[in-house]
Amino acid sequence: MKLFGPAELAALPADKFFTQLSASLSDGGRAAAYFASPADGGRRLCAALAHDRAGRLELLLSEPLSDGFPSLTPRFPQLHLFEREIFELSGLRPEGHPWLKPVRYPAGGPDPGTGDFFRVHGPEVHEVAVGPVHAGVIEPGHFRFQCHGENVFHLEIALGYQHRGVERALSAGPGARSMHYAETLAGDTTIGHAWAYCGALEALSGCAVPPRAQVLRGVLLELERLANHTGDLGALSGDVAYLPTASFCGRLRGEYLNMTALICGNRFGRNALRPGGVDFDLEPARAAELLRRLEDVFRDTEGAVSLLWDTASVTERFENTGPVSRADAAALGLVGPAARASGVDIDTRRDFPYGPYSRYDPPKPGRGDVYARAYMRWDEIIRSVRLIRGWLASLPAGPLTAPCGAPASDSAAVSLVESWRGQVCHAAFTGPGGGFLGYKVVDPSFHNWQGLALALRGGQISDFPLCNKSFNLSYCGHDL
Amino acid sequence: MFKELIERFRQGHRTAPFPPGPEKFSDRYLGLPRLTGAPLAKAAAACPVGALSAADSALDMGRCLFCGACAKADPAAVEFTRDHRLSSGSREGLVLGSGGTFRASGEAPPDLRRLFGRSFRLRQVSAGGCNACEADCNVLGTLAFDLGRFGVQFVASPRHADGLLVTGPVTKNMELALRKTYDATPGPKLVIACGACAVSGGPYAGHAETLGGAAAVVPVDMFIPGCPPHPYTILDGILRLINGDIV
Ligand code: SF4
């Protein structure tokens, strides 16, 4: 959660901006966010660059631009979707972008899922189109596979069906609904996004969140991770037709959600976080009950999940399926467990410590296949349980909330939170009165969808569900 | 094989009885709201989505996010019970007046209950929203809720379905897909609008990118409020639709 005061928001002339952006990206910087925001006389580009290993966050701003700008995607593929989004939202055209298509198909443009798709030509090549309405109880998206028999040459993913104007509405804040917008950016990441939103506001208003609230936020965030990782391991198991773990984990995921409900009444952690702190206390009796349940459920999780690693028919399907190389993962700017599973050693909890996190030690990086992504989830489950145990053993006393006043004017705040899918980035810019000039949300899925597409290359179309579950990306978090 | 059996033995039988006992809900769970009759002005001012009307002394559960801000602002005016049964067959049925008692409703006509009472297949359409409602529908398929024991199942194709369960405010980008899915479902069919978004647009009510709920596109037979509704609220709504007043 970093505040940038008016003095740190000097705009660079366009040529300097792109030189500096290229230099930072070549130097190992990762675009946590890259977007256009309104400025006097047009739109300016803003890049929030995370130098993960150095723990340094850099904010670059350009002077207002009026039409086009040079696309850096050919050199830095991690910018590909950011530049498409800039074009869609601001009309500033990234000249030389190799695949300048809509991102969310807002009204007034082409219908979602229409237009050009990347095509492979040849006598035996065929195309498979899936969605927007899928077979399961899941969100809508459109998938185009270019296939040769069972083999996938290329997968293109077209989203935007969940586009409901939530980022646009957030930009008009802060207001009565802002907190609820944040909590519903991606429902399964309620705590992750709520924390990022609160973090941005708190940075802007100079509010110091009390230690007890910080720890309680940490407990909720790790419970969210536990629920989702456990649920996904069950779903992966179901996708290779290994039903014991699938049914165990289906229940266990619910038990973790119920622990969140024990704290705040809602299984997803709605209304638990508010700017300044948390809205619910964890009294000693409740903390004891939470710990008791956590130990029980973790024991069952361990029993259910260890079956996976001991079952040859499971590991055989997980291993070497959907590989993403370290180089590709880094070039695409993947985040979260998907990145770590491919050997990209980044984790916001260690690189940009916030709240109660200090000296977090992420699991060893993996080798990039479904197995690695699954095992990474398990490794993180173990660590989340350890974190919660440690926090509950020495819960700081003190208030649950501190006053969070009006945001500083003409400032910016960038807020980074490691949600279960990876880094959530919120960037807020305020105008002269402290109201938002712009509010940018980057869900980890925004970085990672292209990773899923790449995982399918050269694989079998029948591996799609398995690869998809191993990433389990958010449609609504992407579509905003 | 033995490992699986040992683990199965250790974890035991986990399917929960229905209807659920109060122990299934957190003591902080916010269920059915109640208006005490005190003036609502203060509580209404705290509501982020305009679900409370001081002029009409009413609370529209269809819009409500169950955030509790109203009860916090004025505990003398709004209270929350832990009753999870919230469904209604009509949109107006979700509007609570002060003092009145709410009774969950929404049973389908007798001929449809005869038809679907023991076997009801639903196609879920996610049309905007945040995926929390979908998650709480998915959870009904786990062994804890065991939806199948009621003869209800989510199916892969509208062609196999007896009805739709719609979540989300229906974005403009999903309007066509929802319409097509509805048309592809053979009649007679029933439609459930699940969650604040599908009922009223939820937190996105008024957004130009959305249509403000499922009823803007398809006829709705059952409204289930909540943001998201508790899985037991959804289950109660589905069963009430096909079986009438069961509990
Ligand atoms: S609980 Fe419902 S009525 Fe009360 S403030 Fe929240 S949204 Fe409004």
Side-chain angles (χ1 to χ4, degrees):
Chain A
M1 324 298 164
K2 190 164 157 45
L3 176 74
F4 297 86
E8 294 156 283
L9 294 178
L12 300 169
D15 53 336
K16 283 235 178 58
F17 173 84
F18 292 108
T19 317
Q20 184 58 42
L21 179 58
S22 308
S24 282
L25 290 171
S26 322
D27 193 29
R30 186 177 54 76
Y34 182 32
F35 56 100
S37 85
D40 302 337
R43 297 238 159 200
R44 62 181 180 181
L45 293 177
C46 314
L49 297 158
H51 297 267
D52 297 294
R53 295 324 305 267
R56 189 164 63 84
L57 189 65
E58 186 186 9
L59 191 65
L60 296 179
L61 299 175
S62 77
E63 283 175 352
L65 304 174
S66 48
D67 42 10
F69 65 96
S71 167
L72 298 183
T73 294
R75 272 182 72 199
F76 305 105
Q78 56 166 309
L79 300 182
H80 73 112
L81 202 55
F82 285 118
E83 289 187 344
R84 277 166 59 177
E85 187 192 37
I86 289 169
F87 181 50
E88 183 168 278
L89 291 176
S90 74
L92 298 174
R93 175 182 282 273
E95 304 289 354
H97 191 291
W99 199 234
L100 194 54
K101 282 183 58 163
V103 178
R104 305 190 177 97
Y105 300 86
D111 288 335
T114 60
D116 280 346
F117 279 82
F118 190 86
R119 289 192 86 150
V120 178
H121 296 276
E124 286 176 51
V125 175
H126 63 277
E127 192 176 66
V128 179
V130 185
V133 178
H134 300 296
V137 182
I138 51 170
E139 297 180 82
H142 181 75
F143 298 79
R144 283 281 176 105
F145 298 87
Q146 307 295 318
C147 296
H148 184 255
E150 265 289 287
N151 295 325
V152 179
F153 283 138
H154 184 73
L155 162 62
E156 185 167 349
I157 301 171
L159 301 176
Y161 298 92
Q162 300 282 68
H163 179 51
R164 55 207 185 282
V166 58
E167 185 184 73
R168 172 189 59 70
L170 263 173
S171 303
R177 285 200 213 172
S178 302
M179 194 66 232
H180 301 279
Y181 288 137
E183 290 180 335
T184 58
L185 286 163
D188 53 24
T189 314
T190 295
I191 300 294
H193 278 291
W195 197 341
Y197 175 74
C198 289
L201 272 196
E202 287 150 5
L204 284 166
S205 80
C207 164
V209 178
R212 188 174 178 85
Q214 298 281 25
V215 168
L216 292 180
R217 285 179 177 183
V219 171
L220 288 164
L221 187 70
E222 295 308 323
L223 282 175
E224 185 167 272
R225 194 180 323 276
L226 285 165
N228 284 296
H229 281 359
T230 304
D232 282 353
L233 286 170
L236 281 165
S237 177
D239 271 341
V240 297
Y242 182 66
L243 298 186
T245 304
S247 29
F248 291 141
C249 286
R251 169 182 78 89
L252 294 166
R253 172 181 166 278
E255 300 288 358
Y256 289 114
L257 296 178
N258 287 337
M259 288 182 224
T260 300
L262 172 72
I263 302 175
C264 71
N266 182 289
R267 289 156 40 92
F268 294 86
R270 297 282 158 84
N271 315 310
L273 272 62
R274 289 295 178 261
V278 290
D279 228 12
F280 294 92
D281 198 8
L282 194 62
E283 318 87 294
R286 201 177 291 271
E289 168 69 5
L290 175 64
L291 188 63
R292 190 190 62 72
R293 288 204 210 170
L294 180 71
E295 296 301 349
D296 270 8
V297 175
F298 177 58
R299 218 174 66 96
D300 285 354
T301 310
E302 189 169 25
V305 174
S306 56
L307 292 174
L308 288 178
W309 324 127
D310 288 346
T311 304
S313 62
V314 172
T315 52
E316 164 66 21
R317 286 285 284 119
F318 282 10
E319 278 169 351
N320 302 318
T321 303
V324 178
S325 70
R326 198 196 160 286
D328 286 345
L332 284 174
L334 300 195
V335 294
R340 295 191 277 281
S342 282
V344 179
D345 187 18
I346 53 172
D347 191 313
T348 317
R349 290 171 290 176
R350 179 198 56 203
D351 305 331
F352 299 92
Y354 56 97
Y357 296 99
S358 64
R359 285 170 304 161
Y360 174 74
D361 179 26
K364 269 207 318 292
R367 56 165 192 217
D369 51 6
V370 168
Y371 187 93
R373 286 188 287 276
Y375 204 84
M376 183 58 63
R377 308 291 197 102
W378 170 238
D379 258 345
E380 295 196 6
I381 286 173
I382 298 172
R383 280 165 177 74
S384 295
V385 171
R386 264 190 227 144
L387 283 170
I388 298 177
R389 272 188 199 136
W391 287 327
L392 291 183
S394 57
L395 211 53
L400 293 171
T401 180
C404 184
S409 40
D410 297 315
S411 302
V414 178
S415 180
L416 302 176
V417 170
E418 187 75 15
S419 77
W420 66 276
R421 275 196 193 92
Q423 186 174 77
V424 164
C425 174
H426 286 205
F429 285 81
T430 57
F436 293 149
L437 273 184
Y439 198 94
K440 182 75 211 131
V441 174
V442 186
D443 186 83
S445 308
F446 191 83
H447 301 283
N448 283 8
W449 274 110
Q450 193 63 23
L452 170 61
L454 217 63
L456 254 287
R457 276 213 183 153
Q460 305 248 299
I461 195 164
S462 51
D463 284 335
F464 176 70
L466 189 57
C467 290
N468 190 27
K469 285 305 171 12
S470 73
F471 283 86
N472 191 8
L473 300 174
S474 173
Y475 300 72
C476 56
H478 171 280
D479 291 346
L480 299 174
Chain B
M1 187 64 202
F2 285 115
K3 278 191 178 154
E4 283 92 343
L5 288 174
I6 292 167
E7 194 54 33
R8 167 67 180 80
F9 187 70
R10 219 173 54 72
Q11 300 212 7
H13 174 79
R14 294 295 188 150
T15 302
F18 186 86
E23 76 288 349
K24 289 284 167 198
F25 301 89
S26 160
D27 59 329
R28 287 175 171 167
Y29 165 69
L30 300 185
L32 180 66
R34 208 179 74 80
L35 302 179
T36 62
L40 280 176
K42 203 165 140 200
C47 181
V49 286
L52 279 164
S53 158
D56 306 339
S57 282
L59 189 160
D60 181 357
M61 276 204 293
R63 289 194 191 180
C64 180
L65 307 179
F66 294 80
C67 71
C70 48
K72 219 172 136 191
D74 191 355
V78 188
E79 295 169 356
F80 283 86
T81 70
R82 289 168 67 226
D83 190 346
H84 68 281
R85 296 164 300 178
L86 306 174
S87 68
S88 165
S90 72
R91 181 66 186 81
E92 316 78 65
L94 293 175
V95 181
L96 307 179
S98 57
T101 47
F102 173 82
R103 208 177 154 71
S105 65
E107 56 183 58
D111 53 328
L112 292 185
R113 291 208 311 266
R114 250 192 318 278
L115 200 56
F116 296 138
R118 285 154 169 270
S119 165
F120 189 44
R121 301 285 180 265
L122 282 167
R123 172 63 251 184
Q124 202 275 325
V125 181
S126 165
C130 75
N131 198 34
C133 289
E134 289 82 347
D136 272 347
C137 289
N138 259 322
V139 89
L140 295 179
T142 64
L143 47 82
F145 295 89
D146 191 15
L147 192 60
R149 72 182 139 155
F150 306 104
V152 182
Q153 197 190 350
F154 287 104
V155 291
S157 166
R159 297 287 196 220
H160 305 157
D162 305 311
L164 303 183
L165 185 146
V166 183
T167 53
V170 188
T171 56
K172 288 203 169 143
N173 285 354
M174 270 306 284
E175 181 182 0
L176 180 64
L178 173 58
R179 213 180 281 283
K180 282 188 175 178
T181 310
Y182 179 79
D183 291 343
T185 308
K189 50 192 160 186
L190 293 167
V191 176
I192 301 172
C194 177
C197 285
V199 174
S200 71
Y204 317 118
H207 285 204
E209 295 85 349
T210 72
L211 301 172
V217 184
V218 291
V220 175
D221 302 282
M222 178 57 114
F223 296 88
I224 304 178
C227 186
H230 194 283
Y232 277 121
T233 305
I234 303 176
L235 185 54
D236 177 78
I238 296 175
L239 296 183
R240 206 168 281 281
L241 177 66
I242 56 170
N243 290 329
D245 201 0
I246 18 131
V247 280

